[in-house]
Amino acid sequence: MEKEKRQAELIGAKSHQNLNTGHSKLAKDLFRQGYNCSQAVLLAFSDECGLDFETAARFSSSFGAGMGRLREVCGAVTGMFMVAGLLYGYSDPQDQSGKTAHYQRIQELAKQFEDKNQSIICRELLGLGAGKDSPVPEQRTAAYYQNRPCEALVGNAAAIMAAYIEGQKLHQQK
């Protein structure tokens, strides 16, 4: 019951916030609650994507810390890509123009994130060496949040996605 109440409060709070800053703030708040970077971004957009909170949390749970702490593509970026796929992706495997348009979209989103953060690779963003990390997540302490750029990266990814969505809405109105 407490979990459902918290989810409803988060989603309700989002509906009263400005789209761009609201999604970014919500994603950062979710990250601060302990959701991984990928979860935080997808959960911030779960209602727009037509996913219930728990499904979105489970669906994105494998992609935190650069995909299960492998330190590959940043989880915030994969969360952004999941949102893009759910909102604008293709479903027909024969739709070459749809595939092309979507892959262009993904590359555009990745470029925006990389331009702002110098990389989309988790280990590079964190200044870690090559290779995967221990599967055991670090404890979320004050020092963790102070020493990691992850909260800001989650906010960046959510802001980029929100701006893209807003741009698509404006484009459709013309």
Side-chain angles (χ1 to χ4, degrees):
M1 185 65 171
E2 185 62 33
K3 183 177 176 181
E4 288 88 9
K5 181 180 174 190
R6 186 184 66 199
Q7 292 167 358
E9 288 171 356
L10 285 168
I11 292 168
K14 182 170 75 170
S15 66
H16 294 96
Q17 296 172 341
N18 172 279
L19 178 69
N20 197 328
T21 58
H23 283 95
S24 180
K25 181 180 181 327
L26 179 56
K28 292 192 302 189
D29 289 348
L30 289 161
F31 184 79
R32 278 265 179 185
Q33 290 177 34
Y35 291 99
N36 73 39
C37 38
S38 186
Q39 288 174 312
V41 174
L42 182 59
L43 288 168
F45 292 90
S46 60
D47 55 343
E48 286 97 331
C49 293
L51 292 175
D52 66 87
F53 198 88
E54 185 169 348
T55 299
R58 287 176 179 266
F59 181 69
S60 54
S61 66
S62 301
F63 299 94
M67 302 193 185
R69 292 181 55 88
L70 292 172
R71 303 302 183 188
E72 297 296 337
V73 174
C74 170
V77 173
T78 60
M80 181 173 60
F81 291 170
M82 283 187 257
V83 172
L86 287 163
L87 294 178
Y88 308 108
Y90 65 92
S91 59
D92 179 355
Q94 304 307 313
D95 181 6
Q96 289 301 105
S97 64
K99 282 183 183 184
T100 299
H102 190 62
Y103 292 162
Q104 286 175 329
R105 176 180 303 111
I106 294 303
Q107 289 184 13
E108 176 186 329
L109 293 168
K111 183 178 180 338
Q112 287 180 43
F113 187 90
E114 188 170 19
D115 286 350
K116 190 168 187 87
N117 301 293
Q118 289 69 58
S119 181
I120 65 166
I121 304 300
C122 177
R123 78 174 67 82
E124 293 172 4
L125 292 163
L126 297 180
L128 302 174
K132 61 186 173 188
D133 213 343
S134 160
V136 179
E138 293 178 49
Q139 291 295 312
R140 299 282 185 96
T141 63
Y144 172 92
Y145 290 112
Q146 189 172 27
N147 295 324
R148 293 277 179 148
C150 303
E151 183 179 351
L153 297 171
V154 161
N156 286 307
I160 290 166
M161 193 70 239
Y164 184 86
I165 292 168
E166 188 63 24
Q168 291 301 300
K169 288 178 182 176
L170 292 173
H171 180 71
Q172 290 172 353
Q173 290 176 356
K174 290 181 181 180

